[in-house]
Amino acid sequence: VGVLRATGVLPDELWTVIFGYATFYIFLLVWQKIRDFVQRPQIVFLDKLCIDQHDERLKEQGIMGLAGFLDNTKKLTVLWSPQYFSRLWCTYELATFLRNPDQHKPLEVMPVGMCYLLFLMAFCWRVLLFAYYFLIASPGILGPQAATSLRQIFPVLVIVILPMHFYKGLSLMKHIRMLPQQLQTFRVQEAQCFCCSNDHRHPESQKPLPCDRLLVFNTLRQWYGEVDEDPEGHLETFNAMVRDVMSNKMMKAACGETLPFHYALNMVVTANIPWLTEYVAKLGAGPPIPLEGLGLLVWSLRTFMDWAQMCLMMLCAMRCSVWLWCRGVSLLERLPKLLVVLLLIPVQ
């Protein structure tokens, strides 16, 4: 788009950044279909969909074959929430994937709250970028008087937007802080399952439900065997593996308490690349005064850095936000969350 603006095919106006955002959302929505034309489709095993939930015989066969599916899985993605380790099936699947210590398969832990946080942060940054470029960086578009008046909106936008993602960020860090304690106090005997929670009857049809807990416990007995004639020895062996082996891998996969860099980088790049067209058009038009040689090179680099500094500023702001969220979690024990948010925003 920037090249088309520089060559006069498109008007040299700021509204053309819409094409960049439109391209991003088109690829976001239909990328998998486009990808199928050039690469083999990725196969994902999603237990809720791939194991029959209506035919009990097929369901039992699917459960018994779950280890086979997971053994042939190249990567496991855990959509973690604070309730994850209280669910029998979630823990069973994770333990199945990690039960062979000789296999070093990648494990990715994606807190469900992280998805909402990334979406909210991306939305906030896009709003702020539009406000910055239209009200501050290019005030001539609206006229000097209108730009001066509307420029007062920019700090208002910051004041309104920052509390939203700070509030969500504090919630996410609070949940992640719960993960080590959940792992260290885990007992499969206390994990919940749908059938036992509903007294082994379907809540709608009232038909009897077979006990998934017995099925899982019998599978664990086959894996670990009886221990010193203790009827729950195999369960305690499983609990120990969750607390020791899974604890280390889960905490490492969850990236501690930080926002994974590749997610932050993707969000920053996709938010800023459409605005690169503005600077490409400037480079195509050339400097306002005749330059050549080293002077032209320096001017070109400075023009590019005007765009790059916004990316760096966004990355730094996100890292600072995460650092503040981690420190703010300790304040939640003594102060309401909204008050903690209001205390942290001025520091940001």
Side-chain angles (χ1 to χ4, degrees):
V1 175
V3 174
L4 294 177
R5 285 175 57 177
T7 55
V9 177
L10 287 177
D12 189 16
E13 298 179 6
L14 196 60
W15 64 265
T16 54
V17 298
I18 295 175
F19 291 109
Y21 281 109
T23 302
F24 166 73
Y25 286 110
I26 289 172
F27 273 85
L28 178 66
L29 296 175
V30 300
W31 166 243
Q32 292 301 327
K33 295 185 180 297
I34 298 174
R35 184 181 181 276
D36 289 344
F37 288 106
V38 294
Q39 291 183 345
R40 295 178 58 186
Q42 290 184 329
I43 299 176
V44 177
F45 178 84
L46 187 60
D47 54 0
K48 187 71 173 179
L49 299 179
C50 297
I51 296 179
D52 197 294
Q53 302 295 315
H54 304 287
D55 189 309
E56 297 302 332
R57 184 181 62 84
L58 294 177
K59 180 179 180 180
E60 182 176 353
Q61 291 177 355
I63 292 171
M64 296 302 294
L66 187 59
F69 287 114
L70 292 171
D71 286 343
N72 289 280
T73 298
K74 296 179 180 179
K75 177 182 177 181
L76 179 66
T77 299
V78 174
L79 301 179
W80 179 82
S81 68
Q83 296 78 32
Y84 185 86
F85 284 100
S86 65
R87 296 169 179 161
L88 180 65
W89 280 114
C90 294
T91 309
Y92 171 72
E93 291 171 1
L94 183 58
T96 302
F97 184 77
L98 298 175
R99 78 182 190 281
N100 189 350
D102 297 330
Q103 295 181 352
H104 301 283
K105 296 181 179 180
L107 171 66
E108 179 183 27
V109 179
M110 168 57 76
V112 175
M114 182 75 75
C115 303
Y116 299 113
L117 180 62
L118 288 172
F119 175 81
L120 180 60
M121 292 178 71
F123 172 77
C124 292
W125 278 113
R126 279 165 170 76
V127 171
L128 292 177
L129 281 172
F130 268 97
Y132 169 77
Y133 279 103
F134 277 94
L135 301 180
I136 297 178
S138 303
I141 297 175
L142 303 174
Q145 291 184 345
T148 302
S149 302
L150 293 175
R151 198 172 294 171
Q152 309 303 320
I153 299 176
F154 189 76
V156 175
L157 287 174
V158 174
I159 294 173
V160 171
I161 288 174
L162 277 179
M164 290 192 296
H165 86 269
F166 262 67
Y167 192 90
K168 192 64 181 179
L170 280 173
S171 300
L172 176 63
M173 294 305 160
K174 182 180 179 181
H175 291 162
I176 293 178
R177 286 280 182 94
M178 298 166 56
L179 181 55
Q181 183 180 3
Q182 286 183 350
L183 289 166
Q184 293 304 317
T185 59
F186 173 80
R187 294 186 77 249
V188 69
Q189 295 92 324
E190 299 174 358
Q192 301 174 3
C193 58
F194 179 79
C195 57
C196 295
S197 300
N198 290 278
D199 199 22
H200 299 95
R201 287 194 174 275
H202 196 281
E204 296 179 1
S205 64
Q206 295 301 313
K207 292 182 179 180
L209 293 174
C211 186
D212 292 344
R213 187 182 301 275
L214 292 178
L215 186 59
V216 171
F217 284 7
N218 288 335
T219 303
L220 294 177
R221 182 180 288 108
Q222 294 176 12
W223 286 356
Y224 301 107
E226 299 290 347
V227 180
D228 298 329
E229 298 182 354
D230 182 358
E232 292 193 352
H234 57 291
L235 301 181
E236 294 301 331
T237 302
F238 175 72
N239 292 337
M241 189 198 70
V242 171
R243 295 166 189 163
D244 297 334
V245 179
M246 287 174 54
S247 178
N248 295 331
K249 292 193 175 184
M250 279 290 292
M251 290 307 300
K252 183 179 180 180
C255 298
E257 296 176 343
T258 61
L259 180 67
F261 179 75
H262 61 284
Y263 290 127
L265 183 62
N266 288 337
M267 184 171 60
V268 168
V269 170
T270 55
N272 281 278
I273 275 188
W275 299 101
L276 185 59
T277 60
E278 180 74 7
Y279 297 93
V280 172
K282 288 182 180 179
L283 291 172
I289 58 175
L291 293 174
E292 59 183 18
L294 183 60
L296 180 61
L297 176 62
V298 171
W299 175 83
S300 301
L301 290 175
R302 290 186 62 180
T303 301
F304 175 76
M305 287 305 299
D306 287 341
W307 172 82
Q309 69 179 358
M310 185 62 69
C311 299
L312 295 175
M313 185 189 72
M314 288 175 62
L315 282 173
C316 291
M318 282 189 286
R319 302 302 294 179
C320 290
S321 296
V322 172
W323 186 85
L324 289 173
W325 297 338
C326 295
R327 302 303 175 271
V329 168
S330 58
L331 297 176
L332 294 177
E333 300 175 358
R334 301 185 297 273
L335 299 173
K337 186 185 296 185
L338 183 58
L339 181 57
V340 175
V341 169
L342 296 177
L343 290 174
L344 293 178
I345 287 177
V347 181
Q348 172 78 352

